[in-house]
């Protein structure tokens, strides 16, 4: 192996750890219930900003899957998200006014919290608009999956982002508190994903879906990455590098088989395209706190002004995880 | 006469207690062995939970690490207790803490009563097993294994390699014929006591102590020495995946387990409440006296193993991204590439779609956009026709297209004017059927209204690209079904090659082509080529077109020039 390469990776990992440690000061505790965490509990790590209307369903979805504790960072919400979360019995909440971008889009904060509270636990790092589905998620709780991963000596689990969208303009059907967002955003792109291998970080780089099709058709290389590794059995050596797209040490990014077989994987259903999206895009543009100068949001805004319909006649209507597995978006691997 | 259960357990104590209680209450003596590593508080809890049952015993405890002697020692100790304390027991059933009885004990008892002398233990000679972890069969018995396979894998592998190199072999005790098999057995009192009371047991135990994974070989080997009637199968339903790890049963396997008619299954997930409730609950009405029939479960798990090792051909996704040449099928299904056909024939795609009943696209790799069939701007799987997206990752584009349309054959046009990135990929793909009319790209130039110097430049460019492309198709690494004709060859007799290609696309249609596509007008084409030559360019790919002669195309003016009689 190339010593120089390994050294670079090591430095990269150490740097991220240092950044996480340094930025712990930016977090102010709102409510700390981490003493209630039992040794085997599955934990969720999230940062959010002004997502009040989504929270009820988010918490319910993951509680039903068997998540026992939510560790959340509120990035200066003004819509009551903070107060709502602080009142939940299984939420530990921190707040910060610091920049989202300067914290590597929240990764530094979450790296710090995961290292402090997540070691030895299965940690699921998701945004409040991301909902995990995995093989058998309708009949087996998350604990069944993590037990199986443990017994297979696997420490990470891959779940690609699947952008969900409604038929018609995103603003046509308003989303209300507590509602299942996929009653509105029912559709997804089933087979237009571009995959490349990143040899440095050993992960796959996946792009595509409605965002590439609609907003980045002229500059596909700028389309957002969809590969994610949200479920990790945390230990002190681990850091997320770039959102949850990749982890270090890089061996943990090997969530795919390269000799023809399929490993088990899931999907993160992404409920971004609801009526809340237009307001969000406008706000984020102004703050300029998102990836690559909020380029993504700029592209959306230019297009959203024209009230585009992400739906096309080849859009697939979501049914269940089995459908996703048949379409080849996720796999059961050897879990049966 | 009854059956006694020996339970080896190390986790999920409440489940072990539940199962032990189930058997004990139904008049089956139970001896429990708990791993020495189980915490004292948990162990005391287990004892307390079962203290009201008079036919439950606890045996001496050993450390049961996977692949070590401890498991055999535990089974020996617990079996001895069983034989000594419960004289009414005729069969002893070895079970684990994650086993679950699927059928009522009475049925098991009746089954064993009708086979009073039979030992149920999987026992296969080392030559005949194909499932061993690490590929070690006979060597389990002849090498030494001081390192843990799980924790010290490198040392383990290195030491095995060293012993192989040196040619080291342990001596087996006389009379031992190594056999392997599932560690979960059901033996008769006669056989079991003969094994345990064997005068040579000390020596044999000493030998097996250093055999690798003795729990899969000790009883399996010894039973061959003492039993008159071995039925080589396990009564416990237990399936293993490709890495030798047992498959786990969950609530959603309920119906499958029910219909398997097996007596005991493992491993059950400790939190599978519904399974425990159902099978330990009130008696179910099953087809009495049915033979165990795990066929469906076998299929389910062998499919899982196949998925994990071979995967779905032609699928590229987040957890399957094969290296080149390890794809097990570069693409998901056969497809056809036509080069030069749409230039030579008018409306070739429409004709092709109709005649072969397939999806016939235009130039998918054209510079302006992907010309999907029917002029669609989006195609199956919500694929975009944007040239930028396609050229950003052409391999994903093609593999996605073929994957998305499984079950419907795709045909598309290709040529030197298109993005060439995939030449090698398609040439190396056995699913590709590539038919080339070389030089046909000159026909649109011939018909075009451009300055001749431009035409000449363009012709030189296209000819260079196509020569390279054809060079790839003719390389020894090509696995695609390739047919190449020069333009002049093809024009002389177009029907035969067309028929051959179409037959391959739609083999079952079995009919002769009655309707040929309309040939482009080639009058003066020979002169056009001569003009190119006169301008210093050498058109070679078209074959031989005499400058003064119109190609043999007498019916060119009729609507359908080639009606086969």
């Amino acid at each position: 192996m190339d010593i120089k390469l390994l050294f670079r990776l090591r430095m990269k990992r150490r740097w991220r750890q240092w950044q996480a440690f340094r930025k712990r000061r930016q977090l102010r505790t709102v409510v700390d219930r981490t003493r209630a965490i039992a040794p085997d509990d599955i934990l969720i790590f999230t940062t959010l900003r002004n997502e009040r209307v989504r929270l009820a369903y988010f918490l319910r979805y993951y509680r039903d899957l068997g998540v026992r504790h939510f560790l959340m960072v509120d990035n200066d919400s003004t819509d009551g998200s903070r107060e709502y979360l602080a009142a939940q019995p299984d939420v530990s909440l921190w707040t910060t006014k610091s920049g989202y971008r300067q914290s590597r889009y929240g990764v530094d904060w979450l790296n710090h919290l995961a290292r402090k509270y997540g070691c030895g636990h299965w940690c699921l790092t998701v945004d409040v608009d991301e909902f995990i589905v995995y093989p058998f998620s309708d009949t087996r709780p998350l604990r069944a999956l993590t037990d199986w991963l443990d017994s297979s000596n696997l420490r990470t689990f891959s779940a690609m982002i699947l952008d969900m969208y409604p038929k018609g303009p995103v603003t046509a059907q308003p989303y209300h508190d507590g509602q299942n967002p996929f009653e509105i955003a029912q559709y997804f792109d089933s087979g237009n994903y571009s995959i490349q291998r990143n040899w440095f970080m050993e992960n796959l780089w996946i792009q595509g879906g409605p965002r590439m099709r609609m907003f980045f058709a002229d500059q596909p290389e700028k389309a957002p990455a969809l590969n994610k590794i949200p479920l990790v059995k945390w230990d002190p050596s681990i850091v997320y590098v770039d959102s949850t797209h990749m982890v270090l040490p890089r061996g943990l990014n090997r969530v795919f088989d390269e000799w023809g077989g399929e490993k088990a994987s899931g999907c993160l259903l992404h409920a971004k395209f609801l009526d809340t999206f237009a307001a969000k895009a406008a706000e984020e543009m102004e703050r300029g706190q998102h990836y690559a100068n909020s380029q993504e949001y700029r592209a959306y805004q230019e297009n959203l002004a024209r009230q585009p319909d992400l739906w096309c006649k080849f859009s697939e209507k979501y049914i269940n995880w089995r459908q996703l597995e048949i379409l080849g978006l996720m796999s059961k691997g050897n879990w049966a | 006469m009854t059956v006694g259960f020996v339970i080896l357990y190390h986790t999920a104590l409440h489940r072990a207690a539940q199962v032990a209680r189930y058997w004990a209450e139904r008049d089956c003596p139970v001896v429990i062995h708990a791993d020495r590593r189980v915490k004292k508080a948990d162990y005391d809890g287990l004892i307390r939970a079962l203290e009201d049952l008079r036919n439950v015993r606890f045996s001496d405890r050993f450390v049961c690490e996977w692949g070590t002697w401890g498991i055999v020692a535990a089974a020996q100790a617990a079996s001895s207790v069983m034989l000594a304390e419960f004289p009414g027991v005729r069969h002893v059933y070895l079970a684990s803490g994650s086993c679950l009885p699927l059928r009522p004990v009475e049925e098991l008892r009746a089954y064993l009563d009708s086979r009073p002398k039979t030992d149920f233990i999987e026992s296969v000679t080392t030559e005949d097993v194909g499932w061993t972890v690490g590929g070690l069969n006979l060597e389990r018995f002849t090498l030494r294994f001081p390192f843990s396979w799980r924790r010290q894998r490198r040392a383990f592998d290195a030491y095995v390699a060293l012993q192989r190199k040196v040619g080291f072999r342990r001596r087996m005790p006389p009379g031992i014929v190594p056999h392997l098999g599932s560690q979960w057995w059901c033996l008769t009192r006669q056989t079991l006591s003969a094994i345990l009371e064997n005068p040579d047991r000390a020596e044999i135990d000493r030998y097996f102590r250093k055999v690798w994974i003795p729990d899969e070989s000790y009883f399996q080997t010894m039973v061959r020495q003492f039993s008159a009637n071995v039925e080589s199968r396990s009564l416990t339903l237990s399936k293993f995946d490709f890495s030798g790890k047992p498959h786990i049963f969950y609530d959603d396997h309920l119906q499958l387990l029910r219909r398997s008619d097996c007596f005991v299954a493992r491993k059950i997930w400790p939190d599978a409440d519904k399974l425990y409730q159902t099978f330990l609950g009130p008696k179910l009405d099953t087809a009495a006296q049915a033979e165990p029939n795990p066929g469906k479960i076998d299929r389910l798990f062998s499919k899982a193993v196949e998925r994990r090792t071979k995967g779905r051909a032609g699928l590229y996704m987040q957890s399957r991204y094969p290296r080149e040449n390890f794809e097990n099928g570069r693409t998901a299904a056969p497809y056809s590439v036509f080069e030069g056909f749409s230039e030579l024939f008018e409306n070739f795609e429409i004709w092709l779609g109709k005649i072969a009943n397939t999806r016939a696209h235009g130039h998918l790799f054209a510079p302006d956009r992907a010309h999907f069939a029917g002029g669609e701007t989006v195609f199956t799987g919500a694929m975009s026709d944007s040239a930028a997206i396609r050229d950003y990752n052409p391999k994903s584009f093609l593999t996605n297209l073929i994957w998305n349309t499984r079950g419907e054959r795709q045909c598309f046009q290709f040529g030197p004017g298109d993005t060439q990135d995939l030449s090698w990929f398609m040439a190396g793909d056995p699913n590709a059927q590539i038919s080339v009319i070389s030089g046909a790209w000159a026909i649109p130039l011939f018909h075009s209204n451009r300055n001749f110097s431009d035409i000449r430049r363009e012709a030189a460019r296209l000819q260079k690209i196509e020569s390279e492309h054809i060079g790839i198709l003719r390389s020894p690494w090509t696995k695609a079904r390739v047919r190449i004709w020069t333009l002049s060859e093809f024009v002389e007799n177009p029907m035969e090659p067309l028929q051959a290609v179409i037959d391959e696309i739609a083999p079952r249609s079995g009919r002769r082509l009655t309707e040929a596509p309309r040939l482009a007008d080639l009058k003066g084409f020979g002169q056009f080529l001569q003009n190119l030559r006169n301008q210093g360019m050498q058109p070679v790919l078209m074959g031989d077109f005499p400058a003064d002669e119109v190609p043999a195309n007498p019916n060119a003016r009729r609507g359908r020039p080639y009606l086969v009689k």
Side-chain angles (χ1 to χ4, degrees), chain A residues 139-140 147 158 192 207 257-258 260 262 266 325, chain B residues 252 269 308 310 312 318-320 323 382 392:
Chain A
T139 50
R140 302 180 194 172
D147 279 357
S158 159
N192 58 5
Q207 293 164 292
D257 189 290
E258 52 180 342
E262 294 174 32
E325 130 107 342
Chain B
D252 45 83
W269 187 49
R308 179 63 187 84
K310 285 171 77 187
R312 289 171 275 181
Q318 53 173 333
S319 53
R320 181 183 201 266
R323 286 177 183 231
Y392 177 57

PDB file of all heavy atoms in Angstrom, chain A residues 139-140 147 158 192 207 257-258 260 262 266 325, chain B residues 252 269 308 310 312 318-320 323 382 392:
ATOM      1  N   THR A 139     -41.567  -5.573   8.408  1.00  0.00           N
ATOM      2  CA  THR A 139     -41.837  -6.626   9.391  1.00  0.00           C
ATOM      3  C   THR A 139     -40.770  -6.748  10.470  1.00  0.00           C
ATOM      4  O   THR A 139     -41.004  -7.377  11.484  1.00  0.00           O
ATOM      5  CB  THR A 139     -41.949  -8.004   8.694  1.00  0.00           C
ATOM      6  OG1 THR A 139     -40.820  -8.170   7.840  1.00  0.00           O
ATOM      7  CG2 THR A 139     -43.223  -8.104   7.881  1.00  0.00           C
ATOM      8  N   ARG A 140     -39.603  -6.174  10.244  1.00  0.00           N
ATOM      9  CA  ARG A 140     -38.541  -6.328  11.234  1.00  0.00           C
ATOM     10  C   ARG A 140     -38.075  -4.955  11.704  1.00  0.00           C
ATOM     11  O   ARG A 140     -37.809  -4.074  10.883  1.00  0.00           O
ATOM     12  CB  ARG A 140     -37.342  -7.072  10.632  1.00  0.00           C
ATOM     13  CG  ARG A 140     -37.728  -8.428  10.103  1.00  0.00           C
ATOM     14  CD  ARG A 140     -36.542  -9.153   9.509  1.00  0.00           C
ATOM     15  NE  ARG A 140     -37.005 -10.280   8.717  1.00  0.00           N
ATOM     16  CZ  ARG A 140     -36.232 -11.026   7.944  1.00  0.00           C
ATOM     17  NH1 ARG A 140     -34.949 -10.760   7.873  1.00  0.00           N
ATOM     18  NH2 ARG A 140     -36.724 -12.023   7.256  1.00  0.00           N
ATOM     19  N   ASP A 147     -28.673  -6.221  14.727  1.00  0.00           N
ATOM     20  CA  ASP A 147     -28.220  -7.512  15.257  1.00  0.00           C
ATOM     21  C   ASP A 147     -27.591  -8.345  14.153  1.00  0.00           C
ATOM     22  O   ASP A 147     -26.565  -8.993  14.340  1.00  0.00           O
ATOM     23  CB  ASP A 147     -29.399  -8.298  15.864  1.00  0.00           C
ATOM     24  CG  ASP A 147     -29.722  -7.830  17.270  1.00  0.00           C
ATOM     25  OD1 ASP A 147     -29.010  -6.949  17.777  1.00  0.00           O
ATOM     26  OD2 ASP A 147     -30.693  -8.341  17.855  1.00  0.00           O
ATOM     27  N   SER A 158     -25.308   0.851   4.040  1.00  0.00           N
ATOM     28  CA  SER A 158     -25.510   1.876   3.028  1.00  0.00           C
ATOM     29  C   SER A 158     -26.995   2.098   2.754  1.00  0.00           C
ATOM     30  O   SER A 158     -27.776   1.155   2.730  1.00  0.00           O
ATOM     31  CB  SER A 158     -24.800   1.411   1.751  1.00  0.00           C
ATOM     32  OG  SER A 158     -25.316   2.072   0.633  1.00  0.00           O
ATOM     33  N   ASN A 192     -32.158   6.028 -13.247  1.00  0.00           N
ATOM     34  CA  ASN A 192     -31.326   6.972 -14.004  1.00  0.00           C
ATOM     35  C   ASN A 192     -30.146   7.445 -13.168  1.00  0.00           C
ATOM     36  O   ASN A 192     -29.782   8.604 -13.191  1.00  0.00           O
ATOM     37  CB  ASN A 192     -32.165   8.163 -14.483  1.00  0.00           C
ATOM     38  CG  ASN A 192     -32.817   8.880 -13.324  1.00  0.00           C
ATOM     39  OD1 ASN A 192     -32.568   8.546 -12.171  1.00  0.00           O
ATOM     40  ND2 ASN A 192     -33.651   9.858 -13.630  1.00  0.00           N
ATOM     41  N   GLN A 207     -24.985   9.795  -8.466  1.00  0.00           N
ATOM     42  CA  GLN A 207     -25.748  11.010  -8.754  1.00  0.00           C
ATOM     43  C   GLN A 207     -26.905  10.629  -9.669  1.00  0.00           C
ATOM     44  O   GLN A 207     -26.864   9.591 -10.319  1.00  0.00           O
ATOM     45  CB  GLN A 207     -24.863  12.030  -9.473  1.00  0.00           C
ATOM     46  CG  GLN A 207     -23.737  12.579  -8.629  1.00  0.00           C
ATOM     47  CD  GLN A 207     -22.710  13.261  -9.496  1.00  0.00           C
ATOM     48  OE1 GLN A 207     -22.017  12.624 -10.272  1.00  0.00           O
ATOM     49  NE2 GLN A 207     -22.605  14.572  -9.363  1.00  0.00           N
ATOM     50  N   ASP A 257     -20.192  -4.766  -2.988  1.00  0.00           N
ATOM     51  CA  ASP A 257     -19.368  -5.903  -3.370  1.00  0.00           C
ATOM     52  C   ASP A 257     -18.777  -5.616  -4.731  1.00  0.00           C
ATOM     53  O   ASP A 257     -19.461  -5.127  -5.626  1.00  0.00           O
ATOM     54  CB  ASP A 257     -20.224  -7.162  -3.417  1.00  0.00           C
ATOM     55  CG  ASP A 257     -19.388  -8.409  -3.603  1.00  0.00           C
ATOM     56  OD1 ASP A 257     -18.833  -8.612  -4.692  1.00  0.00           O
ATOM     57  OD2 ASP A 257     -19.278  -9.173  -2.636  1.00  0.00           O
ATOM     58  N   GLU A 258     -17.498  -5.939  -4.908  1.00  0.00           N
ATOM     59  CA  GLU A 258     -16.872  -5.625  -6.198  1.00  0.00           C
ATOM     60  C   GLU A 258     -16.585  -6.867  -7.022  1.00  0.00           C
ATOM     61  O   GLU A 258     -15.966  -6.786  -8.067  1.00  0.00           O
ATOM     62  CB  GLU A 258     -15.597  -4.816  -5.986  1.00  0.00           C
ATOM     63  CG  GLU A 258     -14.652  -5.441  -5.011  1.00  0.00           C
ATOM     64  CD  GLU A 258     -13.390  -4.609  -4.829  1.00  0.00           C
ATOM     65  OE1 GLU A 258     -13.110  -3.768  -5.684  1.00  0.00           O
ATOM     66  OE2 GLU A 258     -12.694  -4.833  -3.837  1.00  0.00           O
ATOM     67  N   GLY A 260     -19.124  -9.007  -7.959  1.00  0.00           N
ATOM     68  CA  GLY A 260     -20.354  -9.453  -8.601  1.00  0.00           C
ATOM     69  C   GLY A 260     -21.511  -9.689  -7.653  1.00  0.00           C
ATOM     70  O   GLY A 260     -22.650  -9.647  -8.065  1.00  0.00           O
ATOM     71  N   GLU A 262     -24.102  -9.074  -4.253  1.00  0.00           N
ATOM     72  CA  GLU A 262     -24.810  -7.915  -3.712  1.00  0.00           C
ATOM     73  C   GLU A 262     -24.716  -7.938  -2.195  1.00  0.00           C
ATOM     74  O   GLU A 262     -24.958  -8.955  -1.579  1.00  0.00           O
ATOM     75  CB  GLU A 262     -26.295  -7.975  -4.096  1.00  0.00           C
ATOM     76  CG  GLU A 262     -26.552  -7.827  -5.566  1.00  0.00           C
ATOM     77  CD  GLU A 262     -28.018  -8.044  -5.909  1.00  0.00           C
ATOM     78  OE1 GLU A 262     -28.886  -7.727  -5.089  1.00  0.00           O
ATOM     79  OE2 GLU A 262     -28.274  -8.551  -7.007  1.00  0.00           O
ATOM     80  N   GLY A 266     -30.104  -0.312   1.891  1.00  0.00           N
ATOM     81  CA  GLY A 266     -31.442   0.250   1.991  1.00  0.00           C
ATOM     82  C   GLY A 266     -31.549   1.535   1.199  1.00  0.00           C
ATOM     83  O   GLY A 266     -30.692   1.844   0.368  1.00  0.00           O
ATOM     84  N   GLU A 325     -36.326  -3.111  -4.063  1.00  0.00           N
ATOM     85  CA  GLU A 325     -35.352  -4.189  -4.229  1.00  0.00           C
ATOM     86  C   GLU A 325     -35.460  -4.801  -5.622  1.00  0.00           C
ATOM     87  O   GLU A 325     -34.465  -5.094  -6.266  1.00  0.00           O
ATOM     88  CB  GLU A 325     -35.532  -5.180  -3.077  1.00  0.00           C
ATOM     89  CG  GLU A 325     -35.656  -6.600  -3.466  1.00  0.00           C
ATOM     90  CD  GLU A 325     -34.435  -7.444  -3.161  1.00  0.00           C
ATOM     91  OE1 GLU A 325     -33.324  -6.946  -2.936  1.00  0.00           O
ATOM     92  OE2 GLU A 325     -34.615  -8.649  -3.174  1.00  0.00           O
TER      93      GLU A 325
ATOM     94  N   ASP B 252     -41.463 -12.811  10.191  1.00  0.00           N
ATOM     95  CA  ASP B 252     -42.068 -12.975   8.868  1.00  0.00           C
ATOM     96  C   ASP B 252     -41.794 -14.347   8.258  1.00  0.00           C
ATOM     97  O   ASP B 252     -42.269 -14.643   7.175  1.00  0.00           O
ATOM     98  CB  ASP B 252     -41.650 -11.845   7.919  1.00  0.00           C
ATOM     99  CG  ASP B 252     -40.172 -11.533   7.988  1.00  0.00           C
ATOM    100  OD1 ASP B 252     -39.409 -12.221   7.336  1.00  0.00           O
ATOM    101  OD2 ASP B 252     -39.814 -10.587   8.717  1.00  0.00           O
ATOM    102  N   TRP B 269     -34.298 -15.287  16.042  1.00  0.00           N
ATOM    103  CA  TRP B 269     -33.940 -13.973  16.599  1.00  0.00           C
ATOM    104  C   TRP B 269     -34.623 -13.825  17.957  1.00  0.00           C
ATOM    105  O   TRP B 269     -35.845 -14.043  18.057  1.00  0.00           O
ATOM    106  CB  TRP B 269     -34.397 -12.877  15.635  1.00  0.00           C
ATOM    107  CG  TRP B 269     -33.934 -11.516  16.020  1.00  0.00           C
ATOM    108  CD1 TRP B 269     -32.667 -11.152  16.358  1.00  0.00           C
ATOM    109  CD2 TRP B 269     -34.735 -10.342  16.097  1.00  0.00           C
ATOM    110  NE1 TRP B 269     -32.620  -9.822  16.632  1.00  0.00           N
ATOM    111  CE2 TRP B 269     -33.875  -9.285  16.488  1.00  0.00           C
ATOM    112  CE3 TRP B 269     -36.083 -10.060  15.871  1.00  0.00           C
ATOM    113  CZ2 TRP B 269     -34.333  -7.989  16.657  1.00  0.00           C
ATOM    114  CZ3 TRP B 269     -36.528  -8.773  16.036  1.00  0.00           C
ATOM    115  CH2 TRP B 269     -35.661  -7.747  16.430  1.00  0.00           C
ATOM    116  N   ARG B 308     -25.964 -12.994  -2.715  1.00  0.00           N
ATOM    117  CA  ARG B 308     -24.796 -12.402  -2.092  1.00  0.00           C
ATOM    118  C   ARG B 308     -23.521 -12.700  -2.870  1.00  0.00           C
ATOM    119  O   ARG B 308     -22.588 -11.900  -2.881  1.00  0.00           O
ATOM    120  CB  ARG B 308     -24.681 -12.924  -0.655  1.00  0.00           C
ATOM    121  CG  ARG B 308     -23.491 -12.413   0.117  1.00  0.00           C
ATOM    122  CD  ARG B 308     -23.562 -10.910   0.298  1.00  0.00           C
ATOM    123  NE  ARG B 308     -22.349 -10.385   0.890  1.00  0.00           N
ATOM    124  CZ  ARG B 308     -21.259 -10.088   0.169  1.00  0.00           C
ATOM    125  NH1 ARG B 308     -21.269 -10.278  -1.137  1.00  0.00           N
ATOM    126  NH2 ARG B 308     -20.200  -9.603   0.760  1.00  0.00           N
ATOM    127  N   LYS B 310     -23.342 -14.025  -6.332  1.00  0.00           N
ATOM    128  CA  LYS B 310     -23.367 -13.752  -7.775  1.00  0.00           C
ATOM    129  C   LYS B 310     -24.132 -12.490  -8.136  1.00  0.00           C
ATOM    130  O   LYS B 310     -23.796 -11.813  -9.094  1.00  0.00           O
ATOM    131  CB  LYS B 310     -23.984 -14.934  -8.513  1.00  0.00           C
ATOM    132  CG  LYS B 310     -23.040 -16.121  -8.597  1.00  0.00           C
ATOM    133  CD  LYS B 310     -23.744 -17.338  -9.143  1.00  0.00           C
ATOM    134  CE  LYS B 310     -23.924 -17.248 -10.633  1.00  0.00           C
ATOM    135  NZ  LYS B 310     -24.754 -18.367 -11.130  1.00  0.00           N
ATOM    136  N   ARG B 312     -27.421  -9.968  -9.211  1.00  0.00           N
ATOM    137  CA  ARG B 312     -28.255  -9.913 -10.408  1.00  0.00           C
ATOM    138  C   ARG B 312     -27.420  -9.383 -11.564  1.00  0.00           C
ATOM    139  O   ARG B 312     -26.824  -8.314 -11.469  1.00  0.00           O
ATOM    140  CB  ARG B 312     -29.471  -9.014 -10.155  1.00  0.00           C
ATOM    141  CG  ARG B 312     -30.464  -9.658  -9.190  1.00  0.00           C
ATOM    142  CD  ARG B 312     -31.539  -8.696  -8.783  1.00  0.00           C
ATOM    143  NE  ARG B 312     -31.138  -7.861  -7.652  1.00  0.00           N
ATOM    144  CZ  ARG B 312     -31.924  -6.948  -7.099  1.00  0.00           C
ATOM    145  NH1 ARG B 312     -33.129  -6.736  -7.571  1.00  0.00           N
ATOM    146  NH2 ARG B 312     -31.498  -6.237  -6.075  1.00  0.00           N
ATOM    147  N   GLN B 318     -25.817   0.727  -5.381  1.00  0.00           N
ATOM    148  CA  GLN B 318     -25.020   1.145  -4.243  1.00  0.00           C
ATOM    149  C   GLN B 318     -24.294  -0.001  -3.547  1.00  0.00           C
ATOM    150  O   GLN B 318     -23.244   0.216  -2.957  1.00  0.00           O
ATOM    151  CB  GLN B 318     -25.906   1.864  -3.235  1.00  0.00           C
ATOM    152  CG  GLN B 318     -27.122   1.042  -2.836  1.00  0.00           C
ATOM    153  CD  GLN B 318     -27.911   1.686  -1.723  1.00  0.00           C
ATOM    154  OE1 GLN B 318     -27.362   2.424  -0.928  1.00  0.00           O
ATOM    155  NE2 GLN B 318     -29.193   1.411  -1.646  1.00  0.00           N
ATOM    156  N   SER B 319     -24.858  -1.206  -3.592  1.00  0.00           N
ATOM    157  CA  SER B 319     -24.176  -2.291  -2.893  1.00  0.00           C
ATOM    158  C   SER B 319     -23.736  -3.396  -3.848  1.00  0.00           C
ATOM    159  O   SER B 319     -23.400  -4.479  -3.431  1.00  0.00           O
ATOM    160  CB  SER B 319     -25.073  -2.861  -1.784  1.00  0.00           C
ATOM    161  OG  SER B 319     -26.330  -3.225  -2.294  1.00  0.00           O
ATOM    162  N   ARG B 320     -23.767  -3.112  -5.142  1.00  0.00           N
ATOM    163  CA  ARG B 320     -23.195  -4.037  -6.121  1.00  0.00           C
ATOM    164  C   ARG B 320     -22.521  -3.209  -7.191  1.00  0.00           C
ATOM    165  O   ARG B 320     -23.182  -2.621  -8.039  1.00  0.00           O
ATOM    166  CB  ARG B 320     -24.275  -4.907  -6.755  1.00  0.00           C
ATOM    167  CG  ARG B 320     -23.725  -5.893  -7.771  1.00  0.00           C
ATOM    168  CD  ARG B 320     -24.827  -6.689  -8.450  1.00  0.00           C
ATOM    169  NE  ARG B 320     -24.318  -7.919  -9.013  1.00  0.00           N
ATOM    170  CZ  ARG B 320     -23.913  -8.051 -10.282  1.00  0.00           C
ATOM    171  NH1 ARG B 320     -23.981  -7.048 -11.116  1.00  0.00           N
ATOM    172  NH2 ARG B 320     -23.458  -9.205 -10.706  1.00  0.00           N
ATOM    173  N   ARG B 323     -16.116  -4.965 -10.329  1.00  0.00           N
ATOM    174  CA  ARG B 323     -14.978  -4.550 -11.136  1.00  0.00           C
ATOM    175  C   ARG B 323     -15.146  -5.070 -12.540  1.00  0.00           C
ATOM    176  O   ARG B 323     -15.865  -6.040 -12.763  1.00  0.00           O
ATOM    177  CB  ARG B 323     -13.695  -5.165 -10.573  1.00  0.00           C
ATOM    178  CG  ARG B 323     -13.234  -4.535  -9.318  1.00  0.00           C
ATOM    179  CD  ARG B 323     -12.006  -5.257  -8.822  1.00  0.00           C
ATOM    180  NE  ARG B 323     -11.616  -4.672  -7.551  1.00  0.00           N
ATOM    181  CZ  ARG B 323     -10.378  -4.248  -7.284  1.00  0.00           C
ATOM    182  NH1 ARG B 323      -9.440  -4.363  -8.184  1.00  0.00           N
ATOM    183  NH2 ARG B 323     -10.102  -3.719  -6.127  1.00  0.00           N
ATOM    184  N   ALA B 382     -37.094   6.868 -16.007  1.00  0.00           N
ATOM    185  CA  ALA B 382     -36.940   8.321 -15.978  1.00  0.00           C
ATOM    186  C   ALA B 382     -35.553   8.750 -16.442  1.00  0.00           C
ATOM    187  O   ALA B 382     -34.943   9.656 -15.899  1.00  0.00           O
ATOM    188  CB  ALA B 382     -37.258   8.896 -14.591  1.00  0.00           C
ATOM    189  N   TYR B 392     -21.706  12.210 -19.356  1.00  0.00           N
ATOM    190  CA  TYR B 392     -21.082  12.299 -18.046  1.00  0.00           C
ATOM    191  C   TYR B 392     -20.735  10.900 -17.553  1.00  0.00           C
ATOM    192  O   TYR B 392     -19.710  10.690 -16.910  1.00  0.00           O
ATOM    193  CB  TYR B 392     -22.038  12.994 -17.084  1.00  0.00           C
ATOM    194  CG  TYR B 392     -21.544  13.088 -15.670  1.00  0.00           C
ATOM    195  CD1 TYR B 392     -20.330  13.698 -15.380  1.00  0.00           C
ATOM    196  CD2 TYR B 392     -22.297  12.576 -14.621  1.00  0.00           C
ATOM    197  CE1 TYR B 392     -19.885  13.785 -14.084  1.00  0.00           C
ATOM    198  CE2 TYR B 392     -21.855  12.663 -13.326  1.00  0.00           C
ATOM    199  CZ  TYR B 392     -20.646  13.263 -13.063  1.00  0.00           C
ATOM    200  OH  TYR B 392     -20.204  13.345 -11.772  1.00  0.00           O
TER     201      TYR B 392
END
